[in-house]
Amino acid sequence: MLLTVLVLLPAAGLLLRVLQENSKQRDNVQLEQDGTEYLNALVPLISALAESQSAALQGVATEPASVTAAVSRVQIADDKFGKSLETTTRWTDLKTKIAKLPKVTGGSVKIFTAHVEAADLTVQLFDSVRENSTLNRDPDADVWFLQEVVAKQAPVAVTAVSRMSDLANMAIAASGQTKRTLTAQFSYQVQKVQEVVGDLTDGLQEAVNDTNSDTLSGNLVSNLDSFRRGIEAANRGANFGGAPNVSVLVTAQSTLQTALSALSGVVLKEISGLLDDRSDTLTYKRVEAFIVFGVAVTLIIVATLWTRGRSRQVQSALAGESGRDVSVQAAGATGGGNGPANPYGNNPYDQAPNYGEISNYGGGRERSGAVR
């Protein structure tokens, strides 16, 4: 029994370590899944804020319906995951800032600046979600590149494209130093769009090259085509080095926002699928560990019982052999009939002489003459 315990203890300790590591990985996957669901609610918000910015610059004072719906979705996500992802404080500040946007007055520059601040806070919220959910530290290359695209590059691309379009429109209506300032800001946003689009395209290509998904490449094709067409239109409208074409930029902005929203949806779906597969694998490994441990325990118990049974059989056999040896010795040491016991057994060469029965000994011999 002691040997069984000594064998089982290390096995149980190994199982415990395996289960602890498995549980840690499962918890981390669950956190990433929570972050993915939160990002799924955030994506429409960044596009809605871009729409709100353009509408406000055109004199629309009321909040667009898209913003109201997007804020509601993010609120639901934050109520569900805000504590684990540590986003509640940041989201509360952003929601307050968004609620004040329709009340901003004082000219296009002031309205534009207020929307830029809200969009920047939204981008920061994207960063908080990807960092606190550990998506930005995912060990698989495909998931890492995909989260980089959807949570970092796509939001920046949406804001840069919308600002490029609106700055071009603002610069046309401005004059003097204000016009020069707006033109410089426009040029910066054009360069920003080119930079982030290059990073986004490279990230998607890396994800496709390293993915285990059978559907990622096919799902990205049509959305990437739409995205590229939007970028080409934006470049034509920007007319870098010359006067921008506002109408082309507005059309390109709409096309890009639609393409990026669709692209983000595909990317998030792929991330979710990859994480689900990993979770299933970890569950299988957990069950497998229990099965292996159970089989090991069963084999150890069976081996112990078999060893103890064999030990009893050997002891019984030895006891039987010992009993037979004693009876043979007793039979050999006992004399036959009613005579005395012969200490030398029945060997005729080892029998002691019986001096009282030798003929002519004592009374059998002739007495000497002296006696007579």
Side-chain angles (χ1 to χ4, degrees):
M1 181 58 69
L2 179 60
L3 180 60
T4 302
V5 173
L6 292 177
V7 174
L8 285 176
L9 282 177
L14 179 61
L15 174 67
L16 182 61
R17 292 191 63 180
V18 170
L19 292 179
Q20 287 176 340
E21 180 62 24
N22 184 271
S23 296
K24 180 180 178 181
Q25 294 180 7
R26 283 164 57 88
D27 291 343
N28 193 70
V29 171
Q30 183 60 58
L31 192 62
E32 290 188 58
Q33 289 174 323
D34 294 346
T36 302
E37 189 170 344
Y38 201 119
L39 291 175
N40 200 41
L42 265 181
V43 166
L45 178 62
I46 197 73
S47 297
L49 288 175
E51 179 185 346
S52 175
Q53 175 180 289
S54 298
L57 289 173
Q58 294 172 10
V60 180
T62 59
E63 182 178 83
S66 59
V67 173
T68 304
V71 167
S72 178
R73 288 187 61 183
V74 177
Q75 184 61 60
I76 293 173
D78 195 79
D79 290 340
K80 190 175 181 180
F81 307 116
K83 183 176 181 180
S84 60
L85 297 178
E86 301 177 3
T87 56
T88 300
T89 300
R90 187 177 293 277
W91 164 240
T92 301
D93 294 341
L94 173 58
K95 186 172 65 172
T96 302
K97 178 73 69 175
I98 293 173
K100 294 179 179 179
L101 290 177
K103 303 174 184 177
V104 177
T105 57
S108 60
V109 173
K110 190 173 182 180
I111 292 173
F112 179 80
T113 301
H115 280 83
V116 166
E117 292 175 355
D120 287 345
L121 288 176
T122 306
V123 172
Q124 292 173 16
L125 183 56
F126 271 95
D127 288 336
S128 295
V129 173
R130 59 190 290 268
E131 291 172 4
N132 296 340
S133 66
T134 70
L135 278 167
N136 67 328
R137 298 190 296 276
D138 191 274
D140 292 342
D142 50 359
V143 175
W144 191 90
F145 281 113
L146 290 175
Q147 65 81 32
E148 187 84 354
V149 167
V150 75
K152 183 177 181 180
Q153 293 156 357
V156 172
V158 170
T159 57
V161 169
S162 67
R163 291 171 188 177
M164 182 177 67
S165 175
D166 292 334
L167 283 168
N169 198 16
M170 292 166 63
I172 291 176
S175 60
Q177 182 60 38
T178 302
K179 185 180 184 69
R180 288 190 291 271
T181 300
L182 292 173
T183 301
Q185 291 178 354
F186 168 78
S187 299
Y188 172 78
Q189 294 301 327
V190 171
Q191 294 177 347
K192 187 70 174 178
V193 168
Q194 300 303 317
E195 177 185 344
V196 72
V197 166
D199 292 341
L200 187 149
T201 305
D202 291 342
L204 288 176
Q205 186 61 55
E206 291 291 343
V208 170
N209 292 340
D210 296 328
T211 190
N212 294 321
S213 172
D214 298 328
T215 59
L216 177 59
S217 180
N219 289 338
L220 288 178
V221 171
S222 60
N223 292 288
L224 272 176
D225 288 342
S226 299
F227 177 71
R228 291 191 179 103
R229 287 196 297 269
I231 290 298
E232 291 171 359
N235 289 335
R236 289 195 303 270
N239 191 23
F240 194 62
N245 189 325
V246 177
S247 61
V248 174
L249 280 174
V250 170
T251 302
Q253 176 184 354
S254 177
T255 301
L256 277 173
Q257 286 180 353
T258 302
L260 282 172
S261 296
L263 190 63
S264 297
V266 170
V267 170
L268 287 170
K269 184 177 180 180
E270 288 293 335
I271 293 176
S272 180
L274 291 169
L275 291 176
D276 288 343
D277 290 343
R278 189 187 303 172
S279 180
D280 292 341
T281 299
L282 290 171
T283 300
Y284 172 79
K285 289 181 177 180
R286 186 180 185 88
V287 173
E288 184 181 51
F290 275 113
I291 292 175
V292 171
F293 180 73
V295 171
V297 170
T298 302
L299 292 176
I300 292 171
I301 292 175
V302 170
T304 302
L305 295 175
W306 182 83
T307 303
R308 293 179 65 182
R310 289 290 299 167
S311 177
R312 292 193 188 97
Q313 292 177 4
V314 171
Q315 290 177 359
S316 298
L318 290 176
E321 292 292 337
S322 177
R324 286 194 295 272
D325 290 344
V326 171
S327 64
V328 170
Q329 292 176 6
T334 304
N338 297 324
N342 185 354
Y344 300 98
N346 295 327
N347 191 336
Y349 299 102
D350 293 334
Q351 295 182 10
N354 192 343
Y355 296 101
E357 297 181 356
I358 299 177
S359 60
N360 298 324
Y361 182 80
R365 296 182 58 183
E366 188 178 328
R367 297 182 181 180
S368 67
V371 175
R372 292 195 301 265

